[in-house]
Every structure is written in C-alpha cells, then in structure tokens.
Amino acid sequence: MVAQIIDGRAHARSLITAVKADIALLQAEKTNIGLATITVGTDYGSVAYENRLRALAHKLGIPYEGYRLDESTSEADLINLVRKLNAEPDVSGILALRPLPAHIDEASIFKHLDPRKDIESVHPENAGLLALGVPRFVPSTAAAAFYLLDSWIDSTGANRADFYHGANIVVIGRSNNVGKPAVSLGFARGAAVASIDEWADRTTGVGRHTRRADVLIVAAGKAGLVKAEHVTENTVVIDVGINPMTDLDGRVRMVGDVDFEPVAARARAITPVPGGVGPITDVWLMSNTVSAARLLAVPSHTNPEFTEPLSEAS
Ligand code: NAD
C-alpha cells in the first residue's frame, strides 16, 4: 500500500478564502480585529512560527503587533504586557508563544490573558471549556489535525460519524497545547482515544499502542519516532511534529516526527512535513482571531456561537 498524501497547503488555500471573506465582513462593519503575538527569547521554532504568522496576517489584512522580548524578560514585565494587550481595543487575539524561558511560569502568564482574546485556549477557563466539550476557541494545532482528518474522511466518501465511532485514535505526546486538546477533539467526535507519552517509548515502545490505531496523531517533537513497523495499512497518520534538521551543507530544513518515506509506503494516508498540519494551524489561528473580534464586538447573549466568559482576567 502507498499512503494517500493529505495536502495541507491545498486545504489551507480554501480556508484562507473563507477567512478573507470573514475579515472583509468585519472590516465593512468597522469591527476591530488585530492579532498580537509575544515571543520571549530566540527559540528557533517560535521565531519561525512568528515570522509565518506575521506574513499571513499581512496577507489577510489583519493588523499585527509582534512583540519580541529578550530572554531575560521578567515574569512581572510579561504580565504587564499581557494586561496592556487585554486593554487594547485594536487587539482581538493574543498569542504568547511557547516555550517561555524557564524562569517564567507559563500558567501564571496564561491566567492573565483576557479569556475572550485567548485564541489558543490556554487560559484555565478556556482549557476547561475545551475539556468539557464546549470550547470557546479550538486550539489551532489540534484543530488543524482534525480539519485534515475530517476532510480526508469526506474524500473517501465515508460518513464522518460512522468513521469516528468505529475508530481507535492514538495520540502521541501529551502537551497542554497539542496532545491534550487533540484528545478532547477525538472525544468530541465519539472515537476511542488513547494518549501516550515518552514513558510508552521508554518502556514497552510506542508500537504496542500505535499498531492498534486507525488514526495516529503524532506530536512529540522527536524526529523519526514513528517508523514503518509502528503502523498498519489501515493507519491514517497525522504528523504534527516540526523538528529542525541541519543538512551537511549547513542548511536547516524541517522534518516531522514520522519517518516519512517508509511509513508512507505502508500506511493508508499521511500528512507531510512541511505542507501538512502547519499551514492549516496558521490559518486556524487567524480564524480564531476573527471569532475573538466577533466575540468582543457582539454582546455574547446575542451570539450563541460563543460561550459566555465565566470570569474576568485577573
Ligand atoms: P512538548 O514538548 O510540549 O510536548 C511533547 C510531548 O511529547 C510530551 O507529552 C512528551 O512526553 C511527549 N514525548 C516526547 N518524546 C516522546 C517520545 N519519544 N515518545 C512518546 N512521547 C514523547 O511539545 P508540543 O508543543 O506538544 O509540540 C510537539 C511537536 O509538535 C513539536 O515538534 C512542535 O514543534 C510541533 N508543533 C507543530 C505545530 C504545527 O502547527 N504543525 C504546532 C505546535 C507544535
């Protein structure tokens, strides 16, 4: 079997068209929309991600404020910046990129975000709503993984509900921003979902779990983790991992967590890296920024699409 390649770039193009239309509508209504990102330090992945978001926001006409702070920035200064952005009417979405430096407690930053501007659902209220199955914003990476899966199921002619109700989904990686939200989205679709982390790799090996997967979502940040012997001809592989690799000529390129060629020679379908989950993630974040702009502009009792904020940001 040679796996079908699930082309994230092609799907992203049609999503971009839809998001552009939403933005045009907001702008015609004179509803404020704006994205602010905060990057602390020089982590390669974060800086690359921030560059992509800046370019996409520009392409879509979303006003963008990119704050790049020094590695030594204090937690108190970062909280002050979050408070300032919470209060800015021109900013509808705020993203604090991970990883933050070790001296900054991520959770204490996230809890200061205005939940209505927290487009990645990292504020405890939004993370809770997601876990309860009533998300205010669906975090972009997990959303992208399932967007590609849903689209792939549609392309086979199968009914989504029938597919998910009979599916075993295995998620490798259990981070708060990717792995756990992916598990929640699998639950929401009525699938049987298993979550494994590096302990499975260190003890029994990941294959014991992954060979049962109809859908394997891999978000570990470890190049080459998933090998051909870890999948079957029934497995749809969604590779979330992004790992910088330096070639012999010194050029840096991105690879996923999946050993692409041998796995693609065996699996049912697979997303490439680059060109799979990443392009959808970026557009999804913009779409969440649009949703946040609506949420801020429209009194929430008239807008049933959104869950009421339970509390103000502290
Ligand atoms: P993280 O470091 O916060 O979490 C990694 C998770 O993987 C942890 O639960 C860890 O226990 C688990 N893990 C690590 N090594 C493992 C192993 N050998 N076997 C099984 N599990 C293992 O990382 P993250 O933020 O969740 O990101 C994961 C990967 O996804 C990274 O490569 C990141 O760059 C990428 N990413 C991609 C996108 C995208 O849009 N495509 C977005 C966000 C993150």
Side-chain angles (χ1 to χ4, degrees), residues 98 141 172-175 177 197-198 201 220-222 240 242 281:
R98 296 173 66 248
T141 310
I172 306 186
R174 199 175 284 163
S175 68
N177 59 316
D197 71 358
E198 60 199 275
D201 192 24
K222 191 169 180 224
V240 175
I242 302 178
T281 302

Side-chain angles (χ1 to χ4, degrees), residues 181-200:
V183 166
S184 293
L185 298 190
F187 286 165
R189 283 163 173 77
V193 186
S195 155
I196 62 171
D197 71 358
E198 60 199 275
W199 286 108

Side-chain angles (χ1 to χ4, degrees), residues 82-151:
V82 167
R83 286 193 170 128
K84 175 178 110 63
L85 295 172
N86 284 344
E88 257 182 40
D90 292 347
V91 170
S92 51
I94 306 171
L95 174 69
L97 278 87
R98 296 173 66 248
L100 294 170
H103 65 275
I104 295 178
D105 175 19
E106 248 178 41
S108 92
I109 302 302
F110 295 162
K111 77 176 184 197
H112 284 88
L113 288 163
D114 180 335
R116 296 164 307 170
K117 296 189 177 188
D118 168 31
I119 47 177
E120 272 295 276
S121 278
V122 291
H123 185 283
E125 182 180 308
N126 288 333
L129 289 170
L130 175 67
L132 292 173
V134 284
R136 181 179 286 135
F137 302 109
V138 181
S140 58
T141 310
F146 276 89
Y147 182 88
L148 290 176
L149 258 177
D150 291 346
S151 306

